[in-house]
Amino acid sequence: MSMRPPTLSDKTDGNGPDTSLLTKPKAKTQRPPLYKVLLLNDDYTPMEFVVHVLERFFGLNHAQAFDIMLTVHKKGLAVVGVFSFEVAETKVAQVMDFARRHQHPLQCTMEKE
């Protein structure tokens, strides 16, 4: 009896060589990148206006909006939410447009997470 390693032709199920298919592993689908939406502090936009923006465009309750507004005020900026590119871009545009229409210099930006 020889001690050679088995070969493909050795694998049989009684009907000849093993013909099972080799399948490629499925490629993992990547999640789209997320973007942080940030509000920046300025010396002119009223705090109440910032709270209103947070409630209106980000669906925050008054307490959450007030806390984020204080973070913006104290630290100079705060992350308001994390969204897909399209949603983040829309929120930034909505906030900027709303602020301009109310003649406030409030700045809203986005950056990749």
Side-chain angles (χ1 to χ4, degrees), residues 18-76:
D18 182 358
T19 57
S20 62
L21 296 175
L22 295 176
T23 57
K24 290 182 182 176
K26 287 189 177 184
K28 290 186 178 180
T29 54
Q30 289 186 341
R31 294 185 155 213
L34 296 176
Y35 291 80
K36 298 185 282 191
V37 174
L38 303 118
L39 276 185
L40 308 177
N41 190 42
D42 65 74
D43 293 331
Y44 304 101
T45 305
M47 292 179 175
E48 301 81 27
F49 183 79
V50 175
V51 170
H52 178 70
V53 164
L54 292 167
E55 291 171 342
R56 178 173 178 159
F57 297 106
F58 297 94
L60 302 176
N61 66 38
H62 188 75
Q64 292 168 322
F66 191 82
D67 285 347
I68 290 176
M69 177 275 298
L70 282 180
T71 301
V72 172
H73 181 69
K74 291 176 183 175
K75 295 188 176 182

